[in-house]
């Protein structure tokens, strides 16, 4: 599930960053994100992406090869560009910050539809599913230190799995977003963080 920070040149969309190559990749992925947010995965078209990015069609087809290649590389880029975890000084504060970040992302006018499109793509394509798992594996590993610090401060029982603590925060938010389609509000995020904290403190994630 780990995402490679440096892209393997044998994979679709995999290019070494730097110079014009980096600018082309950034333009293509920006256009891909816009297209996903506007029209969803099934309407993703490489010709239109090339036109929107202002690059040649042959470049897009050679480097990304398919809509799946574009989505996969976009998820890699999102993981590379993601914000670092918070350090508020307490586990409660860090988990609430994580919940607010997830809430802000899923309710953002651009990022919300983009994530919905990516989740839909992952449901019907295994390569997209692998990329999505990689994206979340990266995010979980980046936030796991907040639980590790909580363990060191005695806020959690010994043996608590830090990844499970962080996963428990976002799980109910993604359920509302992708499954039940219920509204996401600041109160929803606060409850998710509080529930995860209470369960962790009670030993629910001890392994």
């Amino acid at each position: 599930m780990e995402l490679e920070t440096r892209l393997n040149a044998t994979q679709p969309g995999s290019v070494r960053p730097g110079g014009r190559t980096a600018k082309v990749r950034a333009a293509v992925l920006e256009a891909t994100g816009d297209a996903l947010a506007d029209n969803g995965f099934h309407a993703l078209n490489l010709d239109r992406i090339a036109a929107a990015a202002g690059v040649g069609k042959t470049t897009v087809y050679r480097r990304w090869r398919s809509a799946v290649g574009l989505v996969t590389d976009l998820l890699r880029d999102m993981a590379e560009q993601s914000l670092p975890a918070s350090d508020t000084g307490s586990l409660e504060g860090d988990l609430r910050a994580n919940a607010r970040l997830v809430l802000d992302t899923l309710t953002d006018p651009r990022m919300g539809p983009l994530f919905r499109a990516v989740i839909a793509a992952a449901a019907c394509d295994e390569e997209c599913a692998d990329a999505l798992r990689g994206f979340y594996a990266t995010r979980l590993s980046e936030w796991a230190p907040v639980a590790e610090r909580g363990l060191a401060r005695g806020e959690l029982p010994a043996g608590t799995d830090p990844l499970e603590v962080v996963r428990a925060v976002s799980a109910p938010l993604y359920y509302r977003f992708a499954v039940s389609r219920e509204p996401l509000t600041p109160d929803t995020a606060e409850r998710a963080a509080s529930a995860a904290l209470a369960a962790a403190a009670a030993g629910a994630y001890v392994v």
Side-chain angles (χ1 to χ4, degrees):
M1 276 169 46
E2 289 296 330
L3 250 165
E4 295 294 337
T5 301
R6 290 184 177 276
L7 304 177
N8 186 323
T10 64
Q11 295 176 315
S14 298
V15 292
R16 294 288 183 182
R20 182 178 183 279
T21 294
K23 293 178 181 178
V24 168
R25 182 183 183 227
V28 168
L29 295 185
E30 180 74 14
T32 299
D34 290 343
L36 285 170
D38 291 343
N39 301 304
F41 173 70
H42 293 292
L44 203 59
N45 178 281
L46 270 67
D47 288 2
R48 288 197 288 269
I49 293 299
V55 303
K57 290 189 292 185
T58 56
T59 296
V60 175
Y61 279 95
R62 183 177 67 251
R63 292 180 178 170
W64 287 274
R65 298 203 294 268
S66 67
V68 169
L70 287 169
V71 172
T72 299
D73 196 28
L74 177 64
L75 284 166
R76 293 192 192 102
D77 185 66
M78 288 166 60
E80 292 165 8
Q81 302 300 325
S82 57
L83 296 173
S86 296
D87 186 359
T88 65
S90 72
L91 179 61
E92 179 180 7
D94 291 342
L95 295 185
R96 291 186 187 283
N98 180 260
R100 286 193 297 271
L101 176 61
V102 174
L103 174 71
D104 290 345
T105 299
L106 298 182
T107 57
D108 182 82
R110 181 178 184 271
M111 294 305 296
L114 191 159
F115 268 99
R116 202 178 297 282
V118 168
I119 291 170
C124 61
D125 185 274
E126 190 57 33
E127 188 177 342
C128 286
D130 286 343
L132 188 60
R133 280 193 294 270
F135 171 82
Y136 284 116
T138 298
R139 294 305 291 140
L140 287 171
S141 67
E142 288 173 346
W143 277 84
V146 307
E148 293 167 0
R149 291 193 296 267
L151 274 165
R153 290 190 294 258
E155 297 171 288
L156 294 174
T160 296
D161 185 338
L163 292 176
E164 289 300 317
V165 176
V166 179
R167 186 179 282 116
V169 176
S170 58
L173 301 178
Y174 274 98
Y175 179 86
R176 285 175 174 260
F177 176 76
V179 179
S180 68
R181 299 293 186 98
E182 297 172 80
L184 288 169
T185 66
D187 286 344
T188 307
E190 289 294 310
R191 285 196 300 271
S194 296
L197 180 64
Y205 308 119
V206 172
V207 295

